[in-house]
Amino acid sequence: MTPRRRRKIVRSAQYVVLTVALALVVVLADWRQLKHQFLDPSVAARMFPDLITVALTNTVVYTLAGFGVGLVLGLVVALMRLSSVAPYRWIAATYIEIFRGLPALLIFIFIGVGVPLAFPGMAIPGGTYGQVAIALGLVAGAYMAETIRAGIQAVPRGQMEAARTLGMSYGQAMRSIVIPQAFRIIVPPLTNELVLLFKDSSLVLFLGVSLETRELTKFGRDLAGETANTTPIFVAGLCYLLITIPLGYVVRRLEARHAKAR
């Protein structure tokens, strides 16, 4: 048997296995029960308009706030990692290793419980929104720092040398020449980090949010408990997909554009 013939048989077998598996799912699944538990129109109707005006809005606000804090923190830490001052490098490396290694859940618990215990009487500005922004920012900052550092190092050294030849100081060259080029390189991974933060915002429920500060997951869980039906959780999941799928498409387009530009 020729290799081409063998590949054709293997590919045909894979299609057969996939078709049989899909047929078994269609035949064996209790679609009536699934529709009742996950697609009950009467339960889904109870979610509006709070699903959009409260849950989805808060989720987007939390994500953008965490991304903003993480971006600023990541840039500072990345510059510290590249600093000629050894203590700065040590501090940056320690922060990155700790916050990349810890689960995001533990960071949320630390912000919600540990900070008030460590600093009695001190409140984080912004209440729940401030706590979420810091927690998500600490998580994202560790990853963004390494991404930004890699982007800066990917800029040809000749760019810095040319800027210094023109009389720019090191700081001016970094601000005007190197960092803008680095951000063009790292836009795709930063957009991917935004997608991850959007999902991590579901951990807000561990901060003890109120009715006005609930995000999608907490909103869906609460209503699912009230109705004894999982339709709210399913609808909340669809809302996540409505955001993450377009963002994923944007990431792929940016990556293709960057590869073409290179």
Side-chain angles (χ1 to χ4, degrees):
M1 184 182 297
T2 63
R4 182 177 180 182
R5 178 65 176 171
R6 188 183 299 112
R7 288 196 300 269
K8 186 176 181 180
I9 292 175
V10 171
R11 186 165 57 248
S12 299
Q14 291 174 345
Y15 279 115
V16 171
V17 171
L18 178 61
T19 303
V20 171
L22 292 176
L24 288 175
V25 170
V26 172
V27 172
L28 298 178
D30 188 347
W31 294 103
R32 180 178 299 179
Q33 184 66 18
L34 288 174
K35 181 180 179 181
H36 172 70
Q37 283 295 326
F38 292 96
L39 292 171
D40 191 329
S42 61
V43 176
R46 293 181 55 181
M47 303 179 69
F48 294 91
D50 290 346
L51 175 68
I52 305 299
T53 59
V54 177
L56 182 58
T57 300
N58 283 335
T59 299
V60 172
V61 170
Y62 293 148
T63 303
L64 294 179
F67 185 81
V69 173
L71 186 61
V72 173
L73 183 60
L75 177 59
V76 172
V77 174
L79 294 176
M80 291 174 66
R81 282 277 283 166
L82 298 172
S83 173
S84 58
V85 181
Y88 285 171
R89 296 197 304 271
W90 300 337
I91 293 172
T94 302
Y95 162 75
I96 291 171
E97 293 301 325
I98 289 176
F99 284 93
R100 282 201 309 178
L102 287 175
L105 172 60
L106 295 183
I107 297 174
F108 271 83
I109 294 175
F110 172 75
I111 294 298
V113 179
V115 172
L117 290 177
F119 304 97
M122 173 182 160
I124 295 177
T128 300
Y129 295 98
Q131 290 178 329
V132 175
I134 292 176
L136 287 178
L138 288 172
V139 174
Y143 292 94
M144 290 186 186
E146 287 295 270
T147 301
I148 295 172
R149 178 186 62 81
I152 292 174
Q153 292 180 326
V155 177
R157 293 181 60 88
Q159 298 290 316
M160 173 63 76
E161 294 170 357
R164 297 302 298 271
T165 302
L166 293 175
M168 290 185 179
S169 65
Y170 178 83
Q172 289 175 329
M174 288 293 291
R175 290 193 303 270
S176 303
I177 306 298
V178 177
I179 292 179
Q181 293 187 63
F183 269 87
R184 289 185 60 187
I185 297 172
I186 64 175
V187 163
L190 287 183
T191 308
N192 192 53
E193 183 62 35
L194 182 63
V195 174
L196 297 176
L197 280 182
F198 189 77
K199 295 185 294 182
D200 285 344
S201 65
S202 61
L203 297 174
V204 173
L205 61 92
F206 290 98
L207 295 177
V209 296
S210 63
L211 293 177
E212 293 76 18
T213 57
R214 290 182 298 177
E215 41 67 55
L216 283 171
T217 300
K218 175 64 173 174
F219 181 82
R221 287 185 58 184
D222 289 349
L223 194 55
E226 294 176 11
T227 60
N229 189 284
T230 51
T231 297
I233 296 177
F234 180 76
V235 174
L238 291 179
C239 290
Y240 280 106
L241 293 178
L242 289 175
I243 301 296
T244 57
I245 290 178
L247 281 177
Y249 174 77
V250 169
V251 171
R252 291 191 296 272
R253 291 288 297 174
L254 290 172
E255 289 175 346
R257 191 173 179 182
H258 177 62
K260 184 178 179 180
R262 287 196 300 175

